[in-house]
């Protein structure tokens, strides 16, 4: 029986291999190995597994399997050849050639072996030549790059590309480093030519990546100040390349050496904290240097955002943040208080002040106690006072601009700054100025202040008339649109509460109409149109505004286009408007009893707008999908900008979850790149945002083919977010959807099952098998059934002293038909893979026979088939178990099933009876039955 089963599985594996299902073939060969194959069969199975691993490009495992085959049979020429192929791919040519020489000696006339030996011999010679000439090549590359006669030639361009490619491999980076490469790269940087500077910076990235000693040596040669100053050049590509290099250097200093190579400076003992502070100090200096490009200033802020705050609140050390606040808070505030491009001011871009706000917010959030926060407030207030008092009108403008920056970032600090003597009064007064620049600063401050509940009532009383006046009388669109946004903010103060409207009926619709008009006007610059989106972000709390907005195809198209533009500061406003339109904010239906109680006590009860009911929301989602909003959101997720904050990520996650709510819409979301965009959202951001994105991923994985939705390696990235939904702090629906999605993935391949096991999902899945909710319990059992194809899970069931097998047996007798189906499927799988489990089934419960009989008698053919397979496995496992089964009513049931119409059930039943005859438990009658 064992020999025939091994042969059958091997043939099945061969067929699967021919069809290209290498994972399936691997599973079949593995199962065959577990059935006690002979040494000769083991050699064949191991070499076949090696062939599968070669196809799957897992060359380490291919070598291991081929070696196991050779251990069983030293003359297995196929195993020797496959090991040589694996060794060749792993770069171990000297070992590969030995195996090929052995192959040729065993089969001298085999042309395949002869050709392979010639090829690998040529590769070895090439490698020897390459390694001996790499130093010369590096020197030659630098000579070409530094030769003034070669300016702009194709030869120079090729040399720079080769240098960058060489530096990407650690061995190549070490060669460049040892060949006096850093000094030569410094010469390239000193040329001032953009192409050469880019080549030098990209090569330095390879040299410094994950290597602390080379990073320290590079900074020592180039000078920290010199490297940081490259950020400030006008060429955007060079500035970005310098930003990337500095980020790599920060990571190397923080993490230390991860690879085995060390450079000639490896013996230097350095204090990474000191080197970090020197780098950060230079970045802070760059922020306020005159002559630095606006793009360079933005890149410096982006770097500070990435490297200064703690990655996790679990890390107790926030000393770097405290040091930056003490040394550089004033410099950051100076960028935040700058006005764009006036003479004599710092050069800033449209995104600079927003980046400064985000950095300030990150620093403030990284503080641990009231004393640290109080120091932050004190430094901000002292800076604002220093400009507000004694510097005339220009000083007041800078102070107000700084307050605006704080209100967009750490709003607690902004609110306190607003309360400083004379600040709010100056804002109101400057709104009436005849100078456009002064009005812009004041109106923006008023807008940001209006968003804070603490100040809104004051502004509602004192500022509405002023904003209306500005909106109606100003001839400048830039002023009118900002005044309109201020009115929008005040008009939406009631949020989604239909009963709390600040303005008269229809006023918010008029404001929204004007916002849409400005949004669609492509004659206005993107920076100004952004304010129209800001206005809609507030006004779309009103369901009437939402309905009109989604009906306006031109406005939706303009919103999508603007979200893809270089105006990055619009992202949060776009995401907010989409959250409002899809109603994807958190909303809890009020308890009717509490509502009655509140009415009785004459307390305010929030009311939902009639157009915010589910049917209206679904219709709005359809229109947003038709407008191409998914592709726009996908572009937003790809944004490499500090403006894509964790809060912004959360908003996008909420919208994605709303868009995939209906099954029929999920295909559209996947087609427009939604699956790819959700992965980074599920892995980075706020806890709520990651959970929402993970739930959206689960919905897509349940109803679509995961291999098409997440092609290539991306499918393995889905597992971790799905497993995160199994935690107890997630809702029952999230648990259920995660289990369903993991069930789908576990049924695809062994590699995916291994990934699920690696994420430690099995204990959580087992826990949900005991869940009271029948759908969650069923989903967990189905997931475990698919995971049971893995050896590690089979080991868990086979281990002594656990009730896993008992639970499956008992669930196979439950009333819930789908739960029985899942449990019986798991039993069938486990008893096929591990025959030893068959003898334990009668021990786990006294009702085991009744359960099996009920499966065999079930009108559901799926259950019948599973029951028949379990009985067959038990009969084949031992004569003793077979005897117990045949002595019961099972014999009669099997006899009836075996006479039925040809099907898997009749075949299994017939096989059981044949085995019973073989054991001598029953005899054939005269009819042969």
């Amino acid at each position: 029986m064992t020999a025939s089963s091994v042969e059958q599985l091997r043939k099945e594996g061969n067929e699967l291999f021919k069809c290209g299902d290498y994972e399936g073939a691997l599973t079949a060969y593995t199962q065959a190995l577990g059935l006690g194959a002979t040494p000769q069969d083991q050699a064949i199975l191991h070499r076949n597994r090696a062939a599968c691993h070669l196809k799957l490009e897992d060359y380490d495992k291919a070598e291991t399997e081929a070696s196991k085959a050779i251990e069983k049979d030293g003359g297995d020429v196929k195993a020797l050849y496959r090991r040589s192929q694996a060794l060749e791919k792993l770069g171990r040519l000297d070992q590969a050639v030995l195996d090929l020489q052995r192959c040729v000696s065993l089969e001298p006339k085999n042309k395949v072996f002869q050709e392979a030996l010639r090829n690998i011999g040529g590769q070895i010679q090439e490698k020897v030549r390459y390694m001996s000439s790499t130093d010369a090549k590096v020197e030659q590359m630098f000579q070409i790059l530094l030769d003034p006669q070669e300016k702009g030639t194709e030869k120079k361009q090729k040399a720079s590309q080769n240098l960058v490619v060489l530096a990407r491999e650690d061995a190549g980076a070490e060669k460049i480093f040892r060949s006096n490469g850093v000094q030569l790269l410094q010469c390239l940087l000193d040329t001032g030519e953009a192409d050469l500077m880019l080549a030098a910076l990209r090569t330095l990235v390879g040299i410094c990546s994950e290597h602390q000693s080379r990073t320290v040596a590079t900074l020592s040669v180039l000078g920290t100040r010199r490297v940081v100053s490259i950020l400030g050049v006008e060429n955007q590509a060079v500035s970005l390349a310098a930003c990337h290099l500095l980020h790599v250097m920060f990571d190397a200093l923080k993490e230390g050496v991860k690879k085995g190579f060390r450079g000639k400076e490896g013996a230097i003992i350095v204090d990474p904290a000191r080197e970090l502070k020197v780098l950060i100090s230079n970045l802070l200096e760059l922020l306020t240097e005159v002559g630095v490009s606006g793009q360079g200033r933005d890149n410096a802020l982006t770097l500070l955002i990435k490297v200064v705050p703690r990655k996790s609140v679990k890390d107790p050390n926030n000393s770097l943040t405290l040091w930056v606040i003490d040394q550089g808070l004033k410099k950051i505030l100076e960028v935040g208080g700058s006005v764009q491009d006036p003479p004599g001011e710092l050069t800033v871009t449209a995104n600079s002040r927003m980046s400064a706000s985000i950095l300030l917010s990150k620093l403030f959030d990284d503080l641990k106690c009231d004393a640290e926060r109080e120091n932050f407030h004190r430094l901000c207030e002292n800076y604002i006072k220093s400009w507000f008092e004694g510097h005339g009108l220009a000083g007041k403008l800078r102070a107000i601009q700084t307050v605006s920056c704080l209100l967009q970032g750490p709003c607690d600090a902004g609110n306190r700054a607003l309360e400083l003597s004379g600040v709010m009064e100056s804002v109101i007064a400057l709104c009436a100025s005849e100078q456009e620049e002064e009005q812009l600063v004041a109106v923006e401050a008023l807008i940001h202040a209006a968003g804070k509940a603490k100040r809104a009532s004051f502004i509602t009383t004192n500022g509405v008339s002023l904003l209306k006046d500005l909106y109606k009388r100003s001839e400048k669109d830039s002023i009118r649109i900002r005044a309109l946004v201020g009115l929008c903010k005040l008009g939406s103060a009631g949020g989604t509460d239909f009963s709390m409207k600040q303005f008269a009926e229809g006023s918010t619709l008029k404001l929204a109409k004007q916002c849409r008009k400005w949004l669609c006007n492509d004659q206005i610059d993107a920076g100004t149109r952004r304010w129209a989106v800001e206005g809609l972000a507030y006004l779309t709390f009103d369901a009437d505004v939402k309905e009109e907005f989604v009906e306006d195809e031109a406005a939706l198209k303009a919103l999508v286009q603007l979200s893809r533009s270089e105006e990055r500061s619009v992202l949060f406003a776009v995401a907010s408007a989409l959250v409002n339109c899809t109603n994807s904010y958190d909303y809890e239906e009020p308890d009717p009893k509490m509502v009655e109680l509140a009415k009785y006590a004459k307390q305010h009860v929030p009311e939902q707008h009639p157009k915010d009911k589910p049917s209206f929301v679904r219709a709005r989602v359809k229109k947003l999908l038709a407008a191409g909003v998914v592709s726009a959101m996908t572009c937003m997720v790809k944004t490499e900008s500090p403006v894509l904050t964790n809060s912004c990520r959360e908003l996008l996650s909420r919208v994605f979850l709303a868009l995939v709510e209906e099954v029929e819409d999920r295909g559209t979301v996947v087609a427009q790149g939604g699956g790819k965009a959700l992965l980074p959202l599920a892995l980075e951001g706020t806890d709520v945002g990651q959970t929402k994105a993970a739930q959206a991923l689960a919905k897509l994985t349940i109803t679509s083919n995961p291999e098409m939705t997440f092609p290539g390696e991306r499918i393995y990235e889905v597992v971790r977010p799905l497993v995160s939904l199994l935690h107890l702090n997630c809702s029952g629906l999230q648990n259920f959807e995660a289990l369903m999605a993991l069930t789908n993935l576990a049924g695809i391949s062994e590699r995916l099952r291994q990934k699920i096991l690696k994420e430690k999902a099995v204990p959580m899945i087992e826990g949900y098998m005991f869940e009271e909710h029948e759908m969650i319990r069923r989903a967990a059992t189905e997931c475990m059934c698919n995971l049971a194809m893995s050896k590690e899970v089979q080991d868990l069931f086979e281990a002594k002293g656990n009730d896993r097998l008992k639970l499956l047996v008992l669930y196979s007798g439950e009333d819930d038909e789908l739960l029985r189906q899942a449990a019986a499927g798991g039993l069938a799988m486990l008893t096929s893979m591990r025959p030893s489990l068959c003898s334990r089934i009668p021990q786990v419960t006294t009702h085991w026979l009744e359960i099996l009989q009920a499966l065999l008698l079930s009108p559901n053919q799926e259950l019948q088939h599973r029951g028949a397979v379990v009985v067959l496995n038990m009969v084949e496992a031992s004569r003793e178990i077979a005897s117990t089964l045949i002595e019961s009513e099972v014999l009669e049931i099997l006899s009836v099933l075996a006479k039925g119409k040809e099907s898997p059930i009749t075949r299994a039943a017939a096989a059981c009876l044949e085995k019973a005859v073989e054991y001598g438990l029953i005899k054939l009658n005269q009819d042969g039955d």
Side-chain angles (χ1 to χ4, degrees), residues 314-326:
K314 294 177 182 177
D315 179 4
N317 184 10
N318 69 340
S319 59
L320 198 56
T321 295
L322 297 175
W323 184 81
V324 167
I325 288 171
D326 287 337

Side-chain angles (χ1 to χ4, degrees), residues 70-131:
I70 294 164
E71 284 173 17
K72 302 289 180 186
D73 180 1
D76 190 334
V77 73
K78 286 186 178 179
L80 283 163
Y81 180 60
R82 284 167 191 169
R83 187 167 73 174
S84 75
Q85 289 178 297
L87 289 166
E88 181 185 352
K89 292 292 184 181
L90 291 168
R92 289 147 61 183
L93 301 180
D94 52 340
Q95 293 172 270
V97 79
L98 294 174
D99 281 344
L100 279 172
Q101 286 170 348
R102 175 80 174 138
C103 290
V104 171
S105 68
L106 290 169
E107 293 186 12
K109 295 182 181 180
N110 191 314
K111 291 183 179 179
V112 174
F113 297 159
Q114 292 172 1
E115 183 65 26
L117 188 59
R118 276 196 296 273
N119 287 340
I120 208 163
Q123 285 183 54
I124 290 172
Q125 290 176 4
E126 183 63 32
K127 188 175 181 181
V128 170
R129 281 198 301 270
Y130 174 77
M131 292 306 291

Side-chain angles (χ1 to χ4, degrees), residues 294-322:
Q295 180 73 34
R297 224 178 294 279
D298 287 356
N299 287 335
L301 288 166
T302 301
L303 268 174
L304 290 167
I305 289 167
K306 288 179 178 177
V307 303
V308 175
R310 292 172 294 169
K311 298 294 182 189
S312 169
V313 291
K314 294 177 182 177
D315 179 4
N317 184 10
N318 69 340
S319 59
L320 198 56
T321 295
L322 297 175

